[in-house]
């Protein structure tokens, strides 16, 4: 894995790293490779990405989720680009929809553990935002060599069909197009959708294929007779529309979405947008390549929010966190952002940028409560090394104040959107609305690093532990050997905190170019606005 711009002593420039990621993303988009793409075309089938491009109004307005899923995770299995499924939010007949398309060029669309996780994330987005969901089905089912990691647990394969039922009960439209294989338990997904289309000659759906039927009950039958388009549209009635080919199928899905009824909205405040006060491209220069250097988060915000729209809350208090109201593309938002400048309190005390102090946590908790009171979505900009430690902080009640902030964020009911700008370490990840705190969408810049602590600190701690263990066993460790241990641990830790490692495991929804941040936030709020059901905000017990 290449060293990113966050790596210690010789940082790579943000521009260079973005170019590197772009090259890798083009490879990911090829799925199983050119040979398998040609094989798909020879069968008269489009690829997953070709299907999505024909389905949506504008391919430049498809906001992909989880492109990096499975990255470098299944090398012994031959890899699983994009987790074997393409997911995202796009516009179909003018309507924002979640789209899930199996990639049959990757192990015939078989489900790896990350495939299930990615499908569940897509359904979660549909549920949280009340967005219609479209399934383009072409899958061989569970990847059997890893069935024990996919099949039985709460967040495994079966949860998909449970979610089908929940989505339907919430009145969220589901449309499934069977455009290839659909077997075994996977057969329930399209049939639990509101409407199911099937492509003649290539689409098939059955609980067991012809080989298993022969082995289990001795019956001789071909797959087309068993579960092809004619069978299910004219005999069983399992599917609703028989389609001649992929193109007609996708066109019909567009027609069905075009005729969906109206939907209620949350009514989030939006006015005519203004361009930011600074050009978004300036973001690439404002953020230091050396991630240990300070910078002013206000300058970052100036490239994203509408010009002259920021009203800062408690500006002179708890200055290592910036809180305030703004507009992004016209949408009213609350902002909670880590300040990376070194600041000075009125008492003349210096505060380290990126660290959350008691006063910062206290301010943020109050601000999050205010946003919930006013029904304003909250945007978190993370570049946090954690909460302040040491005797003075502990005596001052840092744990109590940190718990107050975590409590407010955890119980917040307005939409939360998280952008990981830089560091996302320890409990700072939690307080600043990391994945465990249910952000509607969570994006990372290439400069992002997610870990329990910074790489240098972690490597030193782990080295001390290993050296101490070796010495207890009577082994003598030279300075050179200790440095080798430190180097080996540092390299491993750097790999695990690389943004691609996080994106591969869906800790974030996507790695985005910083220039895209404003657009991504705007579209995320548009998605969230589809769900009118915002629960009453309540907190648990908070120590004061």
């Amino acid at each position: 894995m290449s060293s990113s711009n966050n790596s210690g002593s010789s940082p790579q420039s943000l521009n260079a790293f973005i170019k590197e990621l772009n090259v890798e993303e083009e490879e990911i988009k090829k799925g199983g490779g050119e040979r398998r793409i040609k094989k798909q075309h020879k069968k008269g089938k489009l690829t997953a990405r070709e299907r999505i491009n024909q389905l949506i109004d504008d391919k430049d307005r498809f906001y992909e989720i989880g492109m990096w899923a499975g990255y470098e995770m299944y090398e012994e299995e031959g890899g699983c680009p994009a987790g074997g499924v393409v997911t995202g939010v796009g516009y179909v007949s003018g309507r924002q929809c979640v789209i899930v398309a199996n990639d049959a060029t990757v192990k015939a669309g078989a489900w790896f553990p990350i495939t299930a996780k990615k499908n569940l994330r897509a359904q979660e987005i549909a549920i949280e935002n009340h967005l219609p969901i479209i399934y383009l089905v072409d899958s061989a089912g569970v990847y059997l060599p890893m069935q024990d990691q996919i099949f039985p647990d709460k967040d495994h394969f079966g949860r998909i069909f449970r979610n089908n039922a929940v989505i339907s009960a919430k009145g969220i439209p589901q449309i499934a197009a069977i455009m290839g294989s659909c077997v075994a338990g996977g057969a329930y997904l399209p049939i639990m959708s509101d409407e199911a289309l099937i492509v003649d000659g290539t689409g098939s759906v059955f609980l067991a294929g012809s080989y298993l039927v022969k082995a289990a009950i001795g019956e001789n039958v071909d797959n087309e007779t068993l579960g092809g388009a004619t069978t299910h549209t004219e005999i069983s009635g399992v599917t609703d529309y028989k389609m001649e080919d992929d193109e007609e199928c996708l066109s019909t899905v567009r027609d069905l979405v075009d005729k969906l009824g109206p939907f209620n909205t949350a009514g989030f405040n939006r006015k005519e947008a203004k361009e930011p006060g600074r050009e978004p491209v300036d973001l690439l220069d404002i953020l230091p390549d050396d991630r240990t250097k300070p910078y002013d988060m206000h300058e970052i915000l100036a490239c994203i929010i509408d010009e002259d729209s920021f009203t800062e809350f408690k500006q002179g208090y708890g200055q290592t966190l910036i809180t305030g109201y703004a507009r992004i593309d016209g949408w009213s938002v609350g902002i909670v952002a880590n300040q990376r400048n070194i600041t000075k309190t009125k008492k003349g005390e210096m505060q380290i940028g990126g660290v959350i102090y008691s006063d910062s946590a206290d301010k943020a908790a109050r601000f999050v409560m205010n946003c919930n009171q006013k029904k304003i979505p909250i945007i978190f900009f993370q570049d946090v090394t954690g909460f302040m430690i040491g005797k003075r902080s502990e005596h001052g009640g840092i744990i109590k104040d940190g718990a107050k902030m975590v409590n407010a964020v955890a119980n917040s009911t307005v939409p939360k959107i998280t952008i990981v700008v830089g560091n996302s370490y320890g409990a700072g990840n939690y307080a600043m609305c990391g994945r465990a705190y249910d952000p509607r969408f969570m994006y990372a810049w290439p400069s992002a690093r997610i870990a329990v602590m910074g790489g240098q600190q972690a490597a030193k701690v782990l080295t001390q532990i290993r050296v101490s263990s070796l010495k207890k066993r009577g082994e003598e460790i030279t300075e050179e050997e200790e440095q080798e241990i430190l180097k080996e641990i540092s390299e491993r830790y750097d790999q695990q905190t690389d943004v691609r490692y996080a994106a591969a495991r869906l800790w974030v929804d996507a790695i985005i170019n910083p220039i895209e941040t404003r657009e991504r936030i705007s579209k995320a709020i548009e998605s969230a606005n589809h769900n009118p059901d915002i629960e009453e905000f309540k907190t648990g017990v908070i120590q004061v």
Side-chain angles (χ1 to χ4, degrees):
M1 181 179 287
S2 300
S3 154
S4 79
N5 57 300
N6 331 332
S7 301
S9 58
S10 53
Q12 180 184 9
S13 77
L14 185 55
N15 270 312
F17 193 38
I18 289 170
K19 290 177 182 178
E20 182 180 318
L21 294 178
N22 288 341
V23 170
E24 291 183 292
E25 285 183 351
E26 288 306 309
E27 284 301 309
I28 291 171
K29 288 178 182 178
K30 294 177 183 177
E34 295 292 345
R35 185 176 64 83
R36 290 191 176 92
I37 290 172
K38 288 178 182 177
K39 189 176 179 181
Q40 183 100 333
H41 288 162
K42 195 172 182 180
K43 293 178 180 178
K45 294 160 57 174
L46 300 172
T47 66
R49 294 183 184 276
E50 289 168 343
R51 287 167 176 167
I52 289 173
N53 285 343
Q54 288 211 13
L55 175 66
I56 58 180
D57 300 343
D58 182 354
K59 66 180 181 180
D60 293 327
R61 296 175 74 209
F62 178 64
Y63 302 96
E64 188 163 349
I65 300 296
M67 180 190 291
W68 290 85
Y71 177 74
E72 294 189 340
M73 287 178 64
Y74 304 104
E75 299 302 299
E76 292 183 4
E77 308 294 333
C80 186
V85 61
V86 184
T87 63
V89 178
Y91 292 84
V92 179
S93 297
R95 188 80 169 254
Q96 242 189 3
C97 298
V98 174
I99 301 167
V100 178
N102 299 116
D103 187 349
T105 71
V106 180
K107 291 286 194 296
W111 289 55
F112 283 68
I114 199 66
T115 316
K117 187 173 182 179
K118 187 170 174 179
N119 274 264
L120 288 170
R121 176 62 186 141
Q123 288 184 320
E124 183 179 51
I125 290 170
I127 292 169
E128 288 180 333
N129 301 289
H130 281 209
L131 293 177
I133 184 166
I134 299 167
Y135 306 99
L136 306 181
V137 184
D138 192 349
S139 171
V142 166
Y143 184 63
L144 290 178
M146 305 184 80
Q147 64 85 26
D148 61 319
Q149 300 175 51
I150 308 168
F151 172 67
D153 212 343
K154 179 179 178 180
D155 290 324
H156 284 179
F157 193 58
R159 188 78 171 181
I160 304 287
F161 319 125
R162 175 264 186 194
N163 284 352
N164 282 141
V166 169
I167 291 169
S168 182
K170 289 181 178 293
I172 300 169
Q174 295 180 92
I175 298 171
I178 303 167
M179 309 180 79
S181 298
C182 184
V183 300
Y188 287 102
L189 183 147
I191 312 311
M192 292 185 73
S193 299
D194 302 335
E195 294 178 284
L197 305 84
I198 186 168
V199 178
D200 192 21
T202 56
S204 60
V205 55
F206 33 64
L207 294 180
S210 57
Y211 291 123
L212 182 54
V213 168
K214 173 66 174 178
I217 63 174
E219 183 179 34
N220 287 307
V221 61
D222 63 86
N223 284 339
E224 187 65 26
T225 303
L226 191 63
T230 299
T231 294
H232 286 312
T233 56
E234 299 178 18
I235 300 174
S236 72
V238 164
T239 57
D240 307 305
Y241 305 92
K242 181 180 179 180
M243 300 286 100
E244 182 179 343
D245 52 28
D246 280 12
E247 287 79 6
E248 184 187 26
C249 184
L250 295 166
S251 177
T252 304
V253 173
R254 288 182 53 82
D255 288 342
L256 293 173
V257 174
D258 182 54
K259 295 175 178 65
L260 291 175
F263 61 93
N264 296 324
T265 69
F268 296 129
N269 182 318
R270 192 181 196 186
K271 290 186 176 180
E272 185 177 348
K274 293 182 180 179
E275 291 299 315
R278 292 189 63 169
E279 291 293 328
V281 71
D282 289 350
L283 290 167
L284 304 180
D285 296 321
I286 295 168
L287 194 72
D289 292 332
D290 184 346
R291 301 298 300 112
T292 64
K293 289 185 177 179
Y295 64 91
D296 190 349
M297 181 62 82
H298 288 98
E299 295 185 31
I300 297 285
L301 298 177
C303 301
I304 297 169
I305 65 176
D306 294 13
E307 187 172 16
D308 298 327
S309 70
F310 192 49
T311 305
E312 190 159 355
F313 177 77
K314 290 184 181 289
Q315 181 177 2
Y317 180 70
Q319 295 180 59
T320 61
L321 274 177
I322 298 171
T323 55
Y325 305 101
R327 290 191 182 276
I328 294 179
D329 197 26
W331 295 104
S332 170
V333 299
I335 288 175
V336 180
N338 299 112
Q339 174 59 290
R340 284 303 304 268
N341 265 346
I342 297 173
T343 58
K344 183 184 287 188
T345 68
K346 283 189 175 182
K347 296 178 182 179
E349 298 165 344
M350 303 303 293
Q351 292 191 335
I352 303 168
V355 177
I356 302 175
Y357 290 77
S358 285
D359 54 357
S360 308
D362 179 64
K363 176 173 78 169
R366 171 69 181 276
F367 182 73
V368 167
M369 293 178 193
N370 282 355
C371 289
N372 277 271
Q373 180 84 353
K374 299 174 181 180
K375 299 293 186 286
I376 299 174
I378 308 171
I379 318 299
F380 293 84
F381 289 89
Q382 289 192 6
D383 194 347
V384 58
T385 52
F387 286 87
M388 191 59 191
I389 59 174
K391 184 177 74 172
R392 187 171 188 171
S393 293
E394 299 294 358
H395 288 188
I398 185 66
I399 296 174
K400 177 182 66 177
D401 292 316
K404 188 189 303 183
M405 182 179 175
V406 170
N407 200 321
V409 172
N411 285 292
S412 176
T413 58
V414 295
K416 297 169 291 190
I417 299 156
T418 301
I419 311 295
V420 187
V421 172
N423 301 325
S424 180
Y425 294 156
N429 170 279
Y430 304 156
M432 291 296 293
C433 198
R435 177 60 95 200
Y437 289 77
D438 298 322
R440 294 286 182 94
F441 295 89
M442 185 170 179
Y443 297 120
W445 289 6
S447 46
R449 303 206 103 181
I450 300 174
V452 72
M453 66 175 71
Q456 290 183 348
Q457 300 96 310
K460 287 177 181 177
V461 170
L462 292 169
T463 300
Q464 289 170 9
I465 291 171
R466 188 186 294 186
V467 169
S468 176
S469 176
L470 291 170
K471 286 180 177 178
K472 284 180 181 178
R473 295 207 302 260
E475 298 183 34
E476 290 296 326
I477 304 296
T478 67
E479 178 67 25
E480 290 76 14
E481 288 172 331
E482 187 170 331
Q483 287 303 311
E484 278 299 313
I485 292 172
L486 177 62
K487 181 184 176 184
E488 180 251 314
I489 293 174
S490 295
E491 288 175 351
R492 185 175 73 245
Y493 204 85
D494 278 343
Q495 179 180 358
Q496 292 176 355
T497 54
D498 186 288
V499 67
R500 290 165 288 197
Y501 190 93
R505 289 150 182 81
L506 295 175
W507 298 349
V508 296
D509 290 318
I511 303 170
I512 63 170
N513 187 319
I515 296 170
E516 302 170 13
T517 305
R518 174 180 164 90
E519 181 182 11
R520 287 276 186 163
I521 291 172
S522 177
K523 297 308 176 187
I525 299 174
E526 182 183 337
S527 296
N529 200 39
H530 282 72
N531 185 354
D533 302 326
I534 299 178
E535 297 178 12
E536 181 184 356
F537 174 68
K538 298 177 182 178
T539 64
V541 175
I542 293 180
Q543 292 190 33
V544 296

